[in-house]
């Protein structure tokens, strides 16, 4: 089945590694070499055309960059240019309304103000109702199995965090918890953006 390969965060000597999953230029280049050897990397135009005509082949893939991060431009684009590759670049639309997108701010906050994800999660869980998971244990078990199957790189605590963030807390509750945690660390969204 054809698919897209999505990239997010990159780091280098000049760009700090912000959290889990960040890759450097050498790792990215090795991924590109592997993909070129095993798949047909389509340009965005080719991908769209094949989708419209229902002509995608099993080994057809496209590259996508999510969130339009500066590290993608500074690190990944050089490798794409080296291999004459094109990709989809998806952007946050909130900036066009003068808004700050919380998702990347929260990720940056985790990476800068905590030694690791576990330290962050410990503090985060201290700000949540301890009964959240137990109230939704069946839903959590289904979510946990799905995540372990499709995202084996996530630890149990990563999965628990994502469940709380995405399936238990409302967006307002989650943002309030993170804002409180930022205040405790003497920072805020504006400073982090």
């Amino acid at each position: 089945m054809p698919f897209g390969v999505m990239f997010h965060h990159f780091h280098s000597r000049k760009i700090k590694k912000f959290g889990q999953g960040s890759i450097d230029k050498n790792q990215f280049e090795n991924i590109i070499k592997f993909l070129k050897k095993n798949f047909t990397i389509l340009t965005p135009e080719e991908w769209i055309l094949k989708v419209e005509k229902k002509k995608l082949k099993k080994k057809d893939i496209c590259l996508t960059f999510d969130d339009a991060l500066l590290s993608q431009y500074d690190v990944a684009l050089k490798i794409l240019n080296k291999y004459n590759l094109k990709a989809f670049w998806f952007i946050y639309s909130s900036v066009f309304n003068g808004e700050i997108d919380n998702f990347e701010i929260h990720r940056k906050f985790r990476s800068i103000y905590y030694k690791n994800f576990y330290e962050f999660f410990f503090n985060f869980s201290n700000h949540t109702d301890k009964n959240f998971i137990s109230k939704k244990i069946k839903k959590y078990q289904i979510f946990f199995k799905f995540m372990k199957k499709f995202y084996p790189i996530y630890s149990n605590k990563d999965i628990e965090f994502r469940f709380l963030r995405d399936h238990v807390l409302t967006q307002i509750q989650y943002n309030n918890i993170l804002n409180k945690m930022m205040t405790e660390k003497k920072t805020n969204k504006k400073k982090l953006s």
Side-chain angles (χ1 to χ4, degrees):
M1 169 184 249
F3 61 94
V5 182
M6 184 186 309
F7 297 96
H8 283 271
H9 293 270
F10 293 84
H11 60 272
S12 66
R13 282 188 217 122
K14 295 179 183 178
I15 302 169
K16 184 178 178 353
K17 182 177 181 178
F18 285 122
Q20 302 161 297
S22 180
I23 59 177
D24 66 22
K25 72 175 185 174
N26 293 329
Q27 292 168 314
F28 182 57
E29 187 164 12
N30 287 335
I31 291 168
I32 293 299
K33 287 176 184 176
F34 172 82
L35 292 173
K36 284 181 69 62
K37 182 178 176 185
N38 294 288
F39 298 93
T40 303
I41 302 174
L42 302 176
T43 67
E45 296 82 7
E46 291 168 329
W47 179 268
I48 290 170
L49 190 61
K50 284 190 166 201
V51 166
E52 289 173 344
K53 293 184 176 188
K54 296 183 171 130
K55 296 206 175 197
L56 281 174
K57 295 179 182 166
K58 188 176 181 178
K59 292 204 168 208
D60 287 344
I61 64 169
C62 64
L63 305 177
T64 70
F65 291 84
D66 210 10
D67 310 328
L69 304 172
L70 185 58
S71 67
Q72 296 167 350
Y73 177 80
D74 289 341
V75 177
L77 186 58
K78 291 173 185 163
I79 303 300
L80 290 180
N81 288 339
K82 177 178 177 179
Y83 289 92
N84 198 28
L85 293 171
K86 305 249 183 248
F88 286 98
W89 295 79
F90 298 106
I91 61 169
Y92 281 120
S93 58
S94 59
V95 295
F96 298 116
N97 298 326
E99 299 169 13
I100 297 172
D101 190 278
N102 287 326
F103 189 79
E104 287 302 325
I105 297 301
H106 293 162
R107 181 181 174 97
K108 187 174 183 180
F109 171 67
R110 283 197 310 261
S111 299
I112 292 175
Y113 287 90
Y114 294 91
K115 288 181 206 155
N116 54 47
F117 174 78
Y118 298 100
E119 184 182 288
F120 163 80
F121 182 73
F122 178 77
N123 191 5
F124 174 78
S125 60
N126 284 335
H127 287 81
T128 61
D129 179 347
K130 302 295 182 238
N131 297 314
F132 276 147
I133 294 284
S134 62
K135 289 177 187 173
K136 298 190 177 207
I137 193 72
K138 188 160 182 100
K139 190 175 180 182
Y140 176 68
Q141 290 169 339
I142 293 166
F143 180 78
F144 184 86
K145 284 181 185 176
F146 172 84
M147 294 297 282
K148 279 296 184 186
K149 181 178 180 180
F150 291 102
Y151 304 97
I153 62 166
Y154 289 143
S155 71
N156 293 356
K157 292 298 179 192
D158 282 315
I159 294 170
E160 188 176 339
F161 168 70
R162 282 166 173 77
F163 182 74
L164 288 169
R165 181 190 67 193
D166 301 339
H167 299 284
V168 176
L169 299 169
T170 66
Q171 191 170 357
I172 291 169
Q173 289 170 321
Y174 176 72
N175 288 339
N176 286 342
I177 289 170
L178 267 289
N179 287 339
K180 185 175 182 183
M181 291 170 66
M182 285 184 220
T183 300
E184 290 169 359
K185 296 284 188 179
K186 297 181 178 22
T187 193
N188 57 51
K189 287 190 329 183
K190 190 167 185 179
K191 286 180 188 174
L192 289 164
S193 69

